[in-house]
Amino acid sequence: MRERRKLDKGWMFHAGEIGFVARTVAGSGKIAGITNTLPGEGKEPFAGALRAARLMREASRTEPGMEHMTDEELSWIIFGAQAPLTLEGWEEVDIPHDFRLEAGYVDDPKLYNQGHLPNGTGWYRKTFPIEKKAQEGRVVLEFDGVMRCARVWFNGCFLGEHYSGYTGFRFDVTELAKYGEEEGLNVLLVQADTTTGDEGWWYEGGGIYRHVWLTFLPTLHVGQWGVYVRPVVTKNRADIQVETTLQNDGAQAQQVCLHTTLQGPDGTVLSLEDVSVCCPGLGKEKGKQNCQMEDPVRWDVDTPALYTARVEVWQEGRLSDTYETTFGIRTVEYRADQGFFLNGRRLMLKGACVHQDFAGVGVALPDDVVQYKMDRLLDMGVNAYRSSHHPASREVLEICDRKGILLIDENRILETSPFRMDDLEEMILRGRNHPCIFAWSLSNEETFSGSAQAARIIRRYMDVVRKYDPDRLLVSAEAFVDTRTAGKYGDLFDIYGFNYPEGIQRKGLYEKIRLETPALPVMNTESVSCFTTRGIRKDDPSRGHCSNYGTPYTNRGILEGPNAGGLATPYRAMDFYRQHPESGGIFIWSGFDYRGEAKPWVARQVSCNFGAMDLCGFPKEAYYYYQSVFRAEPMVHIWLDWNYENQTEGSVELRVSTNCEEVELYLNGTSLGRKRKEGHWLAWEVRYEPGLLEAVGYREGHEVARDSRQSAGKPCRIGLASNVARICPDGESVAFVTARVLDDQGVTVPDAENAICFEVTGSGRLLGLGNGDPDCRENDKAGKRRAFGGLVLALVQGNGEEGQIQVKATSGLLQPGELTMECR
Ligand code: GAL
């Protein structure tokens, strides 16, 4: 029976080069050194060239002149068995891992796109036993993602190379594996090399940064991504077509029976008619089944109903393999004159473009971090996510399915080299059962888009995509747009994606395209790119900080004028959508800040200023603006804080974001007036006076929401709060602990920059730290961080043991903060 085990724990890691490791040698499986078991690592029956050289010497079969050579020299000469023999200088790490983040920042303006984190090489090595019984079936090593250019060795043999950091890959190692105690440990060695070139213009990390799996399969099994469930929906009916691809790794043809059940969201089970399949030896065969469903439960953004298909493979009356996949039933459509439709209902896409990077971990995101980011986006009110600019991870797909988030999964790179074609195919096969994916994006802002060569590549891509998935929408995301390419190249796609149609530089272009090609469905695939820094009121180029009230710098760092703020402000983008609802919605650039594209002051900053949230997921003012537009639940939010003692002008422009009809503002209990919401926010000119500021939101005359700000005093103590009181003791779960610098009344001090030291004891460990300051070059993996805007985020991970986790935060004379969590 199939079984999948995570191979994430207990790797050895070496930063930087380790010397030459051969990829081919004269003797089979004899690359030796660290690619195989080293002396002392249990049994050595397959110890490779070193052991063979030793045996040859003992048997006096070495050539004259070789007798004075060391065993190592001998093995190199006889077998060319070149690999280091020692693990000196290696350290223990767990996967997911990002070695570039650990190495820390350098000062190099050329590296601004990569967040001043240099490229490099990291080596990973793991030894593990495989039980004897496993050789009855197949053994597969699976990598969800290695950044980038992974080279893999296993038991003295070079397995191969995988270039892209964004797609998974796997090796069947059945014959090469060692089984049981007599054969000894298996050795897996991986080089992750980011010096071969970037795949993007943002920080992409480095290392084995997604899960690694050891998978056991029966000899005849359901193949990789082997069950495709295609619901074809007409009115109140769905025709469910299930196509199972069997893979037979045995030499003899086998007759099997496929028994498939579909379990609905309410638990009801539907059995499909069994089908018999003859799978050739060392070959593949497909089995097709189908059924009709009346009134199926639809997957939708508010009710993300999932079905489970379970395929059983029966061989001579014995159950030999089972495979489960979830799927959803929904329709998606895009109309040129009306935009996006889900299940026949017009829906505004409230989307965010997101890179993988996060505080404390870089791109090496434990599953809880992916979930945490998604929860922050949901709280902001999004219903759509664009995996920019690469295929989404397995975890993103699963969360979007479960949470009802519509996804654009993206390929981006327009090249038809064989390995890029494989990457495209992998993305489609992996994703096509996921109802969250409503569109495949084939490219983003490729400079040659619109050319004859790009058109040829797109046509080829489309043929491949449609072969595997005839139903989803195919979209581009274009920056280099004009009316000619829109008409002649854009019409290749189901939807022509237009990035930044609201941009100041694009004035009138969208309207022109709509006028000249009215039948062309055009979607707003990317918007905003506005610079703001959390908590900041005034620009400070010396620190890379941009005002939430608008900054005069453009995306190219040019001083353009009030509120240029990058490419466009959130307000301009929202106005554009309101004037052009047929543009589908909005995909803001970006949900979170990320390292790289450190604009507008590229030489200084390590992360960008584009996010609605900072790198820690702490909200900026734009976040609340989006919330006021995206969400129906009443909300009111006072911008920034209420500490203006250094204000030189007479009054303060105080803004409030809300989706209420009216807001009344009070200062120390005195009303400053009630205002009706008309523009994007409400504003009051207020003479500063320390104390309590309150905003009360009304709908139909009733109070429905409230927010307040209290002026803060001097830093006095540290307050700690975790997003959860308990985490699971699986050694992977993460708690997000926010440290706040508080005054003696417990109010957060908004300009506090105290350096805070963290100590985690008991059943946990400190995974990383962040403060959301784009200018901060402190290492996320050090145990200390300066507060920014009064806050530090600590990611605390269980260490695999049950018990309690204690977190202690100290800073000079401040009263320390302490927190205890359960890990059970
Ligand atoms: C877009 C691009 C994004 C990011 C953004 C910054 O054109 O698609 O990846 O670079 O600009 O403004």
Side-chain angles (χ1 to χ4, degrees):
M1 282 299 219
R2 74 172 53 224
E3 187 197 334
R4 212 164 58 133
R5 289 181 203 156
K6 248 183 211 156
L7 221 50
D8 287 358
K9 297 280 171 200
W11 288 73
M12 296 301 286
F13 171 74
H14 187 278
E17 280 308 337
I18 55 170
F20 183 71
V21 183
R23 282 175 243 174
T24 55
V25 281
S28 327
K30 288 196 176 57
I31 295 175
I34 58 164
T35 73
N36 213 326
T37 40
L38 292 170
E41 283 183 326
K43 305 253 159 107
E44 295 178 60
F46 289 83
L50 184 67
R51 186 178 149 82
R54 219 179 284 151
L55 289 173
M56 284 179 86
R57 185 199 299 286
E58 278 163 25
S60 305
R61 293 213 331 263
T62 46
E63 307 287 327
M66 288 182 170
E67 59 270 18
H68 301 302
M69 289 181 175
T70 63
D71 291 343
E72 192 186 352
E73 285 166 340
L74 205 56
S75 70
W76 278 46
I77 289 198
I78 300 174
F79 300 105
Q82 301 173 40
L85 272 163
T86 165
L87 291 176
E88 238 179 75
W90 292 59
E91 53 175 315
E92 204 177 317
V93 300
D94 288 339
I95 304 303
H97 186 251
D98 181 347
F99 67 75
R100 288 173 70 187
L101 184 72
E102 299 211 334
Y105 301 102
V106 297
D107 259 320
D108 183 353
K110 284 195 299 300
L111 282 174
Y112 92 92
N113 266 347
Q114 293 283 332
H116 298 266
L117 287 164
N119 278 301
T121 298
W123 288 85
Y124 296 82
R125 184 177 187 270
K126 180 162 174 64
T127 57
F128 54 95
I130 298 181
E131 56 274 24
K132 245 178 158 170
K133 214 171 132 296
Q135 57 193 313
E136 290 165 17
R138 306 301 298 176
V139 180
V140 179
L141 288 168
E142 283 189 86
F143 294 83
D144 281 355
V146 177
M147 188 64 72
R148 162 183 319 101
C149 200
R151 302 190 182 104
V152 185
W153 292 257
F154 184 66
N155 291 345
C157 160
F158 179 62
L159 291 179
E161 192 169 62
H162 183 83
Y163 183 76
S164 176
Y166 296 109
T167 46
F169 55 97
R170 55 206 66 80
F171 300 102
D172 184 319
V173 292
T174 311
E175 285 74 26
L176 290 169
K178 301 179 211 171
Y179 298 92
E181 264 185 45
E182 307 89 87
E183 296 192 15
L185 290 175
N186 292 276
V187 180
L188 176 59
L189 178 74
V190 181
Q191 181 195 27
D193 179 2
T194 72
T195 64
T196 55
D198 303 327
E199 280 183 285
W201 47 88
W202 56 91
Y203 174 63
E204 301 189 277
I208 308 183
Y209 80 103
R210 291 183 184 168
H211 299 302
V212 184
W213 307 88
L214 178 63
T215 303
F216 302 99
L217 297 165
T219 306
L220 188 153
H221 55 268
V222 175
Q224 183 71 27
W225 322 122
V227 176
Y228 172 35
V229 186
R230 182 182 177 207
V232 180
V233 186
T234 37
K235 291 218 175 103
N236 294 335
R237 243 179 111 113
D239 178 19
I240 313 286
Q241 303 168 5
V242 182
E243 181 188 275
T244 301
T245 304
L246 292 167
Q247 180 168 331
N248 183 4
D249 284 317
Q252 309 302 323
Q254 300 286 343
Q255 190 74 37
V256 298
C257 173
L258 298 183
H259 176 67
T260 300
T261 51
L262 307 180
Q263 183 169 15
D266 60 355
T268 49
V269 177
L270 195 78
S271 284
L272 275 59
E273 202 174 307
D274 290 355
V275 64
S276 161
V277 181
C278 180
C279 196
L282 301 182
K284 291 184 181 176
E285 190 55 87
K286 284 187 177 140
K288 294 188 180 179
Q289 294 162 287
N290 72 322
C291 73
Q292 262 80 46
M293 276 188 197
E294 300 294 333
D295 287 323
V297 187
R298 301 284 184 113
W299 183 94
D300 211 312
V301 285
D302 295 325
T303 50
L306 291 173
Y307 285 78
T308 304
R310 179 185 160 92
V311 177
E312 294 177 356
V313 183
W314 289 82
Q315 229 174 325
E316 290 164 2
R318 194 176 48 84
L319 180 63
S320 62
D321 191 17
T322 58
Y323 186 103
E324 284 193 4
T325 180
T326 49
F327 67 99
I329 301 172
R330 88 282 175 279
T331 59
V332 293
E333 196 190 339
Y334 201 90
R335 300 187 198 154
D337 58 346
Q338 291 184 66
F340 179 71
F341 285 73
L342 179 65
N343 292 321
R345 191 181 86 251
R346 198 181 162 277
L347 188 74
M348 174 191 178
L349 293 161
K350 302 167 187 170
C353 300
V354 181
H355 282 327
Q356 304 191 95
D357 198 3
F358 196 71
V361 289
V363 300
L365 311 180
D367 296 1
D368 278 356
V369 178
V370 185
Q371 180 73 60
Y372 187 79
K373 289 179 73 176
M374 213 61 91
D375 286 343
R376 304 280 73 70
L377 291 168
L378 282 168
D379 192 57
M380 185 168 78
V382 310
N383 63 13
Y385 182 106
R386 179 164 165 232
S387 174
S388 34
H389 304 296
H390 53 78
S393 68
R394 191 197 289 266
E395 292 74 35
V396 165
L397 298 181
E398 284 169 5
I399 296 172
C400 287
D401 268 1
R402 266 192 285 114
K403 295 277 182 175
I405 301 172
L406 290 154
L407 179 72
I408 301 182
D409 207 358
E410 187 153 294
N411 174 74
R412 190 179 80 74
I413 297 174
L414 279 188
E415 289 169 356
T416 45
S417 56
F419 80 88
R420 290 282 180 218
M421 294 307 288
D422 289 348
D423 287 342
L424 177 72
E425 197 175 298
E426 166 97 3
M427 177 177 91
I428 308 298
L429 292 177
R430 192 187 54 169
R432 61 185 177 168
N433 286 348
H434 289 274
C436 61
I437 303 174
F438 76 96
W440 302 112
S441 164
L442 298 183
S443 74
N444 176 74
E445 302 191 349
E446 296 306 289
T447 45
F448 71 132
S449 91
S451 68
Q453 187 194 25
R456 279 195 302 275
I457 294 173
I458 287 292
R459 281 197 199 93
R460 182 73 183 157
Y461 274 17
M462 289 184 154
D463 289 346
V464 171
V465 176
R466 293 214 166 106
K467 172 179 163 197
Y468 297 116
D469 177 13
D471 301 319
R472 280 191 180 75
L473 300 163
L474 302 184
V475 65
S476 62
E478 302 291 336
F480 306 98
V481 174
D482 55 43
T483 48
R484 192 187 58 80
T485 47
K488 282 275 171 293
Y489 177 80
D491 62 357
L492 291 174
F493 303 88
D494 296 324
I495 310 170
Y496 187 54
F498 192 160
N499 287 0
Y500 304 95
E502 80 284 6
I504 302 165
Q505 303 84 344
R506 313 287 186 97
K507 232 177 171 166
L509 183 56
Y510 174 88
E511 290 80 355
K512 221 167 153 209
I513 290 172
R514 292 282 305 129
L515 203 69
E516 290 186 18
T517 47
L520 181 76
V522 185
M523 184 163 93
N524 185 353
T525 30
E526 200 175 305
S527 287
V528 184
S529 271
C530 178
F531 305 126
T532 59
T533 310
R534 173 174 58 82
I536 295 298
R537 203 170 285 145
K538 287 199 171 124
D539 283 340
D540 184 352
S542 75
R543 295 196 59 186
H545 293 167
C546 297
S547 168
N548 284 269
Y549 280 74
T551 179
Y553 292 89
T554 68
N555 211 11
R556 307 266 167 260
I558 301 163
L559 250 176
E560 190 179 274
N563 297 337
L567 283 171
T569 60
Y571 324 108
R572 193 181 164 89
M574 207 56 75
D575 284 341
F576 175 87
Y577 169 70
R578 286 182 178 136
Q579 285 152 19
H580 304 286
E582 78 288 351
S583 66
I586 181 171
F587 281 87
I588 63 161
W589 192 272
S590 50
F592 300 84
D593 285 348
Y594 50 90
R595 276 164 268 237
E597 285 206 285
K599 293 171 181 175
W601 297 292
V602 297
R604 272 218 66 91
Q605 303 159 224
V606 294
S607 61
C608 72
N609 275 304
F610 290 127
M613 289 171 264
D614 67 18
L615 199 53
C616 300
F618 293 134
K620 306 183 193 174
E621 296 314 310
Y623 171 95
Y624 294 102
Y625 169 67
Y626 294 126
Q627 201 176 53
S628 77
V629 180
F630 289 168
R631 291 185 65 159
E633 301 90 333
M635 59 77 67
V636 56
H637 167 83
I638 301 172
W639 284 36
L640 301 171
D641 53 82
W642 189 236
N643 291 267
Y644 286 78
E645 35 293 302
N646 301 326
Q647 172 89 15
T648 45
E649 300 104 72
S651 62
V652 172
E653 188 204 341
L654 200 281
R655 291 186 188 173
V656 169
S657 293
T658 187
N659 55 10
C660 297
E661 290 158 6
E662 292 179 313
V663 174
E664 185 153 9
L665 195 67
Y666 296 89
L667 179 55
N668 292 325
T670 307
S671 171
L672 301 179
R674 198 189 270 213
K675 296 198 177 190
R676 269 201 94 70
K677 166 114 191 270
E678 265 145 19
H680 294 288
W681 62 78
L682 287 167
W684 281 259
E685 287 293 326
V686 187
R687 181 162 291 280
Y688 178 67
E689 165 193 309
L692 180 67
L693 191 69
E694 287 171 293
V696 182
Y698 296 90
R699 280 183 185 169
E700 294 175 349
H702 300 292
E703 177 182 336
V704 285
R706 185 179 271 263
D707 192 24
S708 66
R709 293 286 176 281
Q710 174 80 51
S711 310
K714 298 265 166 293
C716 169
R717 63 186 176 90
I718 302 170
L720 292 183
S722 168
N723 69 324
V724 286
R726 189 184 70 86
I727 61 170
C728 168
D730 57 5
E732 294 183 38
S733 299
V734 177
F736 297 78
V737 177
T738 303
R740 290 176 184 273
V741 179
L742 305 173
D743 71 2
D744 59 354
Q745 302 299 309
V747 178
T748 306
V749 183
D751 58 354
E753 301 214 336
N754 307 61
I756 303 180
C757 294
F758 290 82
E759 200 190 324
V760 179
T761 50
S763 306
R765 59 177 176 156
L766 186 63
L767 186 61
L769 295 171
N771 63 7
D773 181 355
D775 190 40
C776 184
R777 286 171 186 241
E778 289 171 57
N779 193 311
D780 287 28
K781 297 293 181 182
K784 184 177 172 191
R785 192 60 165 236
R786 166 173 64 74
F788 176 62
L791 309 182
V792 175
L793 180 73
L795 277 65
V796 175
Q797 189 168 44
N799 63 8
E801 285 161 23
E802 280 199 22
Q804 287 191 325
I805 302 176
Q806 287 89 23
V807 184
K808 187 167 181 190
T810 53
S811 177
L813 295 175
L814 301 187
Q815 281 172 35
E818 289 187 33
L819 179 103
T820 301
M821 286 178 284
E822 295 298 318
C823 184
R824 50 181 97 251

